[in-house]
């Protein structure tokens, strides 16, 4: 919503004393959840994009609520007191209920970060999708609570790391003794926050092929020998390079315009093939 503050500053809370960037008075502020116009704008947005994007899910965000800002806005504090809202989470849950009601009118399912479920007094729609991002131990909480769950905790690509870190994280391994009998663990998402990246230089290499490593464990649910996975992933990386993606190398392989050669015996395994990445494995 930050960009909206430039044309409609009243949509955001007014808290210059706790804003980290006073040169932009409301740019880093959260929504003024007491302002009816916030919900009118959200309703108008859903009415416009609902037909353009027919999928049933809408991500409401909801992570890292800026409670200090609400507490520093005199108008928000006065309104909260008049409604008998005594805690920060009262305001947060009021906002989420308002968004949920609008989404329901447009037949959209709430999808949000874990806070929509974990904050005190949360009232999440029973069909909501909760996205776990602060540790995979939260998976058992959301599953036991009966909520569909997506995981992104171990797949923040901007934090870097060897591809094996992304490949080795199997969300199903965090399920408790009761497992997931209702199939509520839907899958996962690789996230890329671009504060220190741009698409002209280093973004492609930070995303690929690490995101592909996460994708394989999500699709297959089978954690194979790392040497086997490395060769497949390196071949996939070569395909991407040929298509103009600046994917980072993960092995000592040669990737030419029409030839892929596994250079190092370190990563050899029976069934490996020093051929074009387009050639299917034996």
């Amino acid at each position: 919503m930050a960009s909206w503050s430039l044309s409609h500053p009243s949509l955001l809370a007014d808290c210059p004393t706790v804003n980290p960037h006073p040169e932009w008075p409301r740019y880093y502020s959260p929504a003024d959840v007491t302002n009816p116009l916030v919900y009118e704008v959200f309703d108008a947005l859903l009415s416009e994009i609902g037909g353009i994007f027919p999928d049933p899910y809408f991500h409401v965000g909801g992570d890292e609520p800026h409670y200090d800002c609400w507490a520093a806005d005199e108008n928000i504090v006065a309104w909260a007191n008049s409604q008998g809202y005594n805690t920060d989470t009262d305001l947060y849950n009021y906002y989420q209920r308002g968004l949920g009601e609008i989404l329901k009118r447009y037949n959209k399912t709430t999808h949000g970060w874990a806070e929509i479920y974990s904050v005190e007094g949360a009232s999440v729609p029973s069909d909501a999708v909760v996205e776990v991002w602060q540790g995979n131990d939260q998976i058992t909480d959301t599953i036991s609570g009966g909520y569909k769950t997506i995981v992104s905790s171990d797949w923040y690509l901007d934090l870097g790391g060897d591809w094996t870190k992304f490949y080795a994280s199997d969300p199903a391994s965090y399920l408790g003794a009761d497992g997931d009998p209702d199939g509520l663990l839907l899958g996962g998402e690789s996230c890329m926050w671009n504060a220190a990246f741009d698409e002209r230089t280093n973004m492609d290499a930070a995303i690929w092929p690490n995101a592909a490593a996460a994708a394989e464990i999500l699709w297959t649910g089978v954690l194979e020998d790392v040497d086997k996975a490395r060769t497949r992933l390196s071949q996939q990386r070569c395909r991407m390079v040929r298509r103009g993606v600046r994917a980072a190398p993960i092995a000592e392989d040669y990737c030419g315009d029409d030839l892929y050669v596994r250079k190092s015996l370190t990563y050899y395994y029976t069934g490996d093939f020093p051929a074009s990445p387009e050639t299917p494995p034996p």
Side-chain angles (χ1 to χ4, degrees):
M1 293 184 63
S3 61
W4 296 357
S5 70
L6 300 178
S7 60
H8 295 77
S10 66
L11 292 175
L12 275 70
D14 185 15
C15 57
T17 59
V18 296
N19 194 318
H21 292 278
E23 67 273 23
W24 301 325
R26 297 196 182 191
Y27 191 77
Y28 277 86
S29 298
D32 179 354
V33 299
T34 71
N35 186 349
L37 182 60
V38 168
Y39 305 95
E40 293 173 15
V41 169
F42 188 63
D43 190 296
L45 174 67
L46 264 293
S47 69
E48 180 175 334
I49 70 173
I52 301 174
F53 303 103
D55 58 281
Y57 299 102
F58 188 95
H59 203 304
V60 298
D63 60 320
E64 301 180 335
H66 194 352
Y67 295 134
D68 289 345
C69 184
W70 288 339
D73 187 315
E74 294 180 357
N75 292 329
I76 291 178
V77 172
W79 184 91
N81 290 336
S82 73
Q83 301 297 312
Y85 290 160
N86 300 315
T87 68
D88 296 326
T89 55
D90 286 339
L91 277 175
Y92 179 90
N93 292 322
Y94 169 80
Y95 178 52
Q96 292 300 332
R97 285 195 301 271
L99 298 186
E101 291 170 2
I102 297 171
L103 288 171
K104 186 176 181 180
R105 287 204 296 272
Y106 290 96
N107 297 315
K108 297 292 185 182
T109 300
T110 297
H111 175 190
W113 298 109
E115 285 88 335
I116 68 169
Y117 168 79
S118 63
V119 300
E120 182 180 356
S123 53
V124 193
S126 59
D127 62 345
V129 177
V130 179
E131 185 157 356
V132 168
W133 69 280
Q134 291 178 306
N136 285 352
D137 55 329
Q138 290 183 319
I139 295 173
T140 55
D141 294 335
T142 56
I143 296 294
S144 62
Y147 286 96
K148 291 177 286 188
T149 301
I150 286 178
V151 183
S152 59
S153 294
D154 290 347
W155 296 315
Y156 274 51
L157 302 168
D158 52 295
L159 298 181
D162 183 81
W163 69 273
T164 57
K165 178 182 77 170
F166 300 94
Y167 179 66
S169 181
D170 180 2
S173 68
Y174 291 87
L175 294 172
D178 296 333
D180 182 22
D182 298 321
L184 297 176
L185 182 56
L186 303 184
E189 176 185 19
S190 296
C191 299
M192 179 66 187
W193 306 104
N194 68 346
F197 301 88
D198 70 65
E199 60 185 18
R200 292 175 298 177
T201 57
N202 61 349
M203 185 172 289
D204 276 2
I207 296 175
W208 303 109
N210 286 347
E216 175 164 321
I217 190 62
L218 284 168
W219 284 331
T220 66
V222 178
L223 184 63
E224 280 200 322
D225 178 86
V226 170
D227 288 344
K228 291 185 178 182
R230 181 185 285 108
T231 298
R232 288 199 306 277
L233 196 61
S234 189
Q235 291 161 349
Q236 174 64 13
R237 179 255 174 184
C238 190
R239 296 185 186 98
M240 299 180 78
V241 169
R242 290 175 177 178
R243 288 161 172 76
V245 179
R246 299 184 183 93
I250 63 167
E252 303 169 7
D253 300 352
Y254 171 76
C255 177
D257 290 338
D258 55 8
L259 182 66
Y260 169 83
V261 179
R262 174 187 41 74
K263 186 181 295 185
S264 173
L265 289 177
T266 305
Y267 304 141
Y268 175 78
Y269 73 96
T270 303
D272 188 12
F273 54 103
S276 164
E278 307 303 333
T279 304

